[in-house]
Amino acid sequence: MRFVTTFPLLLSLLLLTHGAPSSEKPLPLVIWHGLGDTYDSEGIQSVGDLFNVLYPSTFVYPIRLASSSSSDRSATFLGDVNAQLEAVCADLAELPELAEGFNAVGFSQGGQFLRGYVERCNNPPLKTLVTFGSQHNGIAEFIARCEPGDWVCAGARSLLKGSKWSALVQSRVVPAQYFRDPEQIDEYLEHSNWLADVNNEREEKNKTYKSNLETLERFVMFMFADDETVVPMETSWWAEVNRTSGVVTPLRESRIYTEDWLGLRKLDLQGRLEFETVPGKHMRFEEGVLKRVFEIYFGPKGKKGEWHWRGKQSEEL
Ligand SMILES: *[C@@H]1O[C@H](CO)[C@@H](O)[C@H](O)[C@H]1NC(C)=O
Ligand SMILES: *[C@@H]1O[C@H](CO)[C@@H](O)[C@H](O)[C@H]1NC(C)=O
């Protein structure tokens, strides 16, 4: 029996290594877009297309909070982030393509929301999370250039100018829920509807958040070198900035890290946490940047590289 099956067995092994075996296939990619964007915008579609040029027929899922573009867009400004995350958790859990786990890229606020997904749900499990210009340590100011006639944006902005700590604003205006001014830390700890909780900054720590975040294989935080939209831009690296003195407290010097409220210290000591920079203003990607990110961070298992951006000379897509 044994002798007879040896040959066909070998043959099928050969075939397997030629047609990529499942362990060599890249994981599916989930994308969470930023404020004012939609899951089906041209930009998000081109991100998915780029991924599929590199990794043909690999599943891509742009997160949405509604199937219509306009409702999905308005949900980036208005809504309760806790409820939105719950809806996303339910959606992702129902996608059979993600059952074995997935990688994800989060643009701007989508980045901290994906991190919240890991902490609160992580079923199916997220393996490598890459965030671009995200506000992991909140924003101290809301800068959004609203287009004329964009009443959703204008409405959110005017609400944020007023009482950002009121229950109404905290439960309905998305950016208010990651507002964090070090000069108003008491108000933040008391009233923040979302960030203070997922950042485990309150007295009572949630152990699940920590144990879930610790399961990430890789957590990569990109900051845009010339970000003028996110205040302070160092929040993309989870740092805190005193805007009076200009003093920047890096994540590694904050209690969230030194006392390891979220497992970030553990990730870092094991080489699974990265602080990286991309050139350009907020969400303005230089040509070739995303392709390189996809090659380094989202390739087949075992082919992990390091981020060294040398500029545009790297191969064109
Ligand atoms: C911690 O977070 C998990 C996941 O969201 C939740 O189920 C649990 O109730 C939370 N625990 C506490 C003590 O808040
Ligand atoms: C920021 O720096 C100023 C000036 O040094 C200082 O007075 C203030 O207490 C600092 N704020 C915080 C939150 O540490």
Side-chain angles (χ1 to χ4, degrees), residues 182-184 240 242-247:
E183 301 298 332
Q184 298 176 27
E240 179 176 300
N242 181 324
R243 296 206 296 148
T244 310
S245 64
V247 171

Side-chain angles (χ1 to χ4, degrees), residues 98-115:
L98 303 182
E100 304 296 308
F102 63 95
N103 294 328
V105 59
F107 296 116
S108 202
Q109 69 180 16
Q112 65 261 30
F113 296 162
L114 276 166
R115 197 243 301 162

